[in-house]
Amino acid sequence: MTENGPDWARLRQAFELPDAHYFMGNSLGPLPHATRSAMRAVIEEQWSQGLIRSWNLHDWFHLPEHVGDRIAALAGAGPGEIVAGDSTSVCLFKLASAALRHSGRWEIITDRDNFPTDLYVLSGIRDLYPEQVEIRPLPVADIPDAVSERTALVLLSHVDFRSGRLYDMEMINRRAHDRGALVLWDLSHSIGALPVALNASGADLAVGCTYKYLNGGPGSPAFSYVSRELQASLQPILRGWMGHASPFEMRADFEAAAGIRGMVVGTPEVLALSAVKASLSLFEGLDLRHLRERSLHMSGALMATIDGIDGDHGLEIVTPREDSQRGSHVAIRHAQAYGIVQALIRRGVIGDFRAPDLMRFAITPLYQSEADIEALGTQLAEVLATREWADPAFSRRSTVT
Amino acid sequence: MTENGPDWARLRQAFELPDAHYFMGNSLGPLPHATRSAMRAVIEEQWSQGLIRSWNLHDWFHLPEHVGDRIAALAGAGPGEIVAGDSTSVCLFKLASAALRHSGRWEIITDRDNFPTDLYVLSGIRDLYPEQVEIRPLPVADIPDAVSERTALVLLSHVDFRSGRLYDMEMINRRAHDRGALVLWDLSHSIGALPVALNASGADLAVGCTYKYLNGGPGSPAFSYVSRELQASLQPILRGWMGHASPFEMRADFEAAAGIRGMVVGTPEVLALSAVKASLSLFEGLDLRHLRERSLHMSGALMATIDGIDGDHGLEIVTPREDSQRGSHVAIRHAQAYGIVQALIRRGVIGDFRAPDLMRFAITPLYQSEADIEALGTQLAEVLATREWADPAFSRRSTVT
């Protein structure tokens, strides 16, 4: 920490970075050195030497809570309010199914442009109760007024995966609570990218991804948040022996463990959770307000650079200009977005494409510098000026967020 | 492979083994050398260097099917019938919820002594439909006759986690099918321990664990089997974007991918699946009939050793003597089971305790030898003769399967 905030150059050295300008931290964060050594230790010592004893010796048993507590510190939540484990999709089902049973209501409202998995999870819940459950996918702007006494749950992404728009968590929570509805937030595109204020905003439920801004590794476990208040009454529907009050008594009847542990399902994913735990150590001692300030500065600079590129090229910035409404990536619309992204990649600037016409560039102050922003601006201007996006080498293919 | 079967001493060298006699392969298999190097490659090269490109370059995207196909070869299933991913508990929920919706019936029959997580998963499904679903936990012997035209699903463990009893998969499948019910098998204690004949026995659905006899690492992902025939009509209820027919089109409506891929939910657990994939390489070229023959020989020898220990000590072998009814562990009942297991561990013989009075010893021919069986017999006899189990150092505490 320097007088003006963290020593960013030093933080950057904590990662193994590719020889490229990497703007895909909202898809897969790079490998921290700390994770590499932690994984050697968990595999080559804890598993290899400790074997079964490591469940106690290295407290594998409580990894979901230990990792959860570290995430809680970034999410404005208290210790014992978050557990890590299972995929984001499974966590969404876990909390949405529990919320539905809890409410006794049948309507679920969501952003019609939500990340697909959020919509798919809800469609599965609807098919459990095809005659009762009503899923209402709405434009986000209509949601606050649409919530009613019939609404069981509102499911929203905190930051929109396409536009990068940041939603007002406190306002939506308040509107929903006024009508007795719960809100489930998907923090996949905000956790680790900006300060999240779960407790202060009165949040009920949340899930999030750890392989994006938390750098937990490809396909790393997600997390589940249940507010302490709600923990007293919310019963899991998706149950497993590791969420039992007394797992080793091997009782036939299910009794959920007290607190957030009741949301653990199967055996903790020790290797993957160990990777996340190590990657979270990079956030220790970091004030997320500094991260946020730098992120906004960098995304602002990127948008200014885009503005500076000759307007005839048809670039449209989709991400809100207003700081308070912007997450940590910049999305740009262009009819040739796919070819542009491919040309940039060939030039060592790695962003991604989202069908049909969006390119996205994540801002990750932990390991990016101003030089990355400059390089993106320069290369994008050249790709457009030379129409390099039309190169026939860029045939359409799939990519993964 | 020698003239009389595999070269067991050579197979044993593929593992990093503790300096102890390890009888807990039904809880956590040891680290294969191949896994250690595979994990270094996936972390320090694929993730670190390849980053997002590795989704295509190293085909991370299809890891669930690639690992599943390797498991299928051990389970008597065909390629494209198994995917790996999620915990065993989540996989149980995934298949049981889909089967229930598929059947239009409401009764689920299970072994009342089934592994707790199997019972807990069912209790969650019951709480989804408290007025319709009936869970009937029965003694296993009663199950074939209890299945009726009201039965949606029979959920059974192939090998009982306590007694080590092996159930007749073909007979139960036939009885259930005669009445139009489906069967979901939990293979956690049989996969990798003996030949499993899913296709030949007419199995519908199965799940299993990879961290026991498959040596996939602590908390490694489980797997789900859906017979090719059933794939045409079984719709997932637990859904995610990675099981979508066109995941990168980011469509709002869910359309399950054709075949077993539709059972994938969230983003594949790349690190953990890579560990399982590596550990499965040890089974390549191995005829499971040889493994089974040696396992039965060793468990038979262990039971003969127990028989030879003076009968006054009150040891009762719970595991069936009949080869065709025995899985790959031996369970022994004794009033002082807890203390005995602790004393054995102190003597370098590692088995486990299951409340209230069982000790279990797994037989794992891949890395055990006759010397392990002899050591167990010798040490157990001494512990009993000296009443070492009464040592006050052995205070009761939890352990993990």
Side-chain angles (χ1 to χ4, degrees), chain A residues 313-335:
Chain A
H313 291 300
L315 296 171
E316 177 199 350
I317 294 177
V318 169
T319 303
R321 303 279 178 158
E322 181 62 47
D323 280 2
S324 67
Q325 295 179 19
R326 192 161 79 246
S328 200
H329 74 260
V330 173
I332 306 164
R333 180 168 289 136
H334 190 285

Side-chain angles (χ1 to χ4, degrees), chain B residues 364-383:
Chain B
T364 49
L366 278 187
Y367 50 85
Q368 278 176 335
S369 71
E370 280 81 359
D372 294 306
I373 307 292
E374 284 163 30
L376 170 53
T378 307
Q379 299 300 329
L380 179 58
E382 285 187 27
V383 166

Side-chain angles (χ1 to χ4, degrees), chain A residues 163-193:
Chain A
S163 68
R165 181 178 290 273
L166 171 67
Y167 294 116
D168 186 341
M169 192 179 268
E170 195 277 335
M171 183 271 284
I172 304 243
N173 288 340
R174 187 161 27 81
R175 293 292 193 97
H177 294 170
D178 282 350
R179 290 158 181 83
L182 296 174
V183 185
L184 167 51
W185 288 98
D186 184 338
L187 307 178
S188 293
H189 285 269
S190 58
I191 188 76

